[in-house]
Amino acid sequence: MCCSAARAQTPANPVQPWGTWFIATVQLPGNATHKFGGFGEVQARTNGLFKQYFYNELKAGGSYDIDPNFTVTIAGGRYSTSDYRDLDAPPLNTEKRLWEQLTLTQYSKRLKLEHRYRIEQRWFNFRDDSTGFRQRFRYRLNAFLPLNNTTISAGTVFLAAYDEIFLNPKGPVFERNRVYGGIGYQVNTHVAVQLGYVHQANYNYAARQGQFVLQNTAAKNNIVMAFTYRIIRPSTVLPAAEKLPSQQD
């Protein structure tokens, strides 16, 4: 009885420490003259605020602007998760990922919206030498609001927010939700910085209830520090279109 009572009192979702995401991105946007572009990005995460490093991402890809507001991308990356208590040990999991993506942007006088649709193929290698393969679908609605200009140009302070859902075709279908809010500064035509907050929650299916519930220890808050460097190529056809300082992941 005492043991059963103790188990019953265990919280379904123990409180997690705040973590940190560090993101550095180099972008080569397409333009009216050169429709092909690309990006490279490195990311590191910690379990606690500025401590307990455990995770990194390395990814890159190529893009093509069908028109100024519609871009297709093919990209890939390597993702590594370690035990922050024993970084000398092999990673708990390494993942190789390939994805195909469509991005649609909408510009009003001030508010900027970005719709991103992505299909991912994911190959896993675990520490115990087991392997796995999964697919995933993602949709992100990203919004930017410049505060002191109508466009996000040099010297602009802006607000950024997004919500992204992650869907697994094999179930549980609703796998993850990620919500972000932050403030950024477009230093010049090349450099943008952002400081924000992201809440990420993973979900699992509870058959007894017929609805999705949070997994144990799955919901986590993080501080995000992002740096973006954009390579600008001159356009000989039209003035350069406004480009949004979007995070790649």
Side-chain angles (χ1 to χ4, degrees), residues 1-15 216:
M1 290 292 293
C2 66
C3 296
S4 298
R7 285 195 297 270
Q9 294 174 359
T10 302
N13 293 284
V15 176
N216 289 343

